[in-house]
Amino acid sequence: MHADIWIVRSGSDYLLLHGHLRLHSTLNGEGAAFVEVRHEGIVKITRVSGCLQVDSGNALSPLCIQSTTLKALGSNLSGA
């Protein structure tokens, strides 16, 4: 589990607040990251077709990333 990646739930979506580079490197190396979301427990983050997806055990939801985070990641988000 990665305590340095911060994800919160906002309605039906999840938002990545902190740790985008750590999440990216974990997904490249291990294929999935397990992150604790407050009031929900541990969720699994995976990359599917260039998108990030949260598996909370009950449903699959998108992981939303702010536009400033996308600029910081550049083309690395696509998994290239």
Side-chain angles (χ1 to χ4, degrees):
M1 188 176 69
H2 299 283
D4 53 346
I5 300 171
W6 299 349
I7 296 175
V8 295
R9 187 175 186 119
S10 175
S12 62
D13 295 333
Y14 290 85
L15 302 172
L16 176 63
L17 299 181
H18 178 76
H20 60 276
L21 294 176
R22 174 72 165 166
L23 178 60
H24 172 70
S25 65
T26 301
L27 292 175
N28 279 344
E30 300 173 23
F34 294 89
V35 179
E36 185 170 359
V37 176
R38 190 173 184 172
H39 303 297
E40 289 199 27
I42 298 174
V43 299
K44 179 181 178 182
I45 312 295
T46 56
R47 182 181 293 125
V48 180
S49 301
C51 299
L52 298 179
Q53 177 175 284
V54 178
D55 181 354
S56 64
N58 298 327
L60 299 175
S61 302
L63 177 61
C64 300
I65 301 176
Q66 297 174 346
S67 60
T68 54
T69 302
L70 287 175
K71 289 178 186 176
L73 285 174
S75 63
N76 292 332
L77 185 60
S78 66

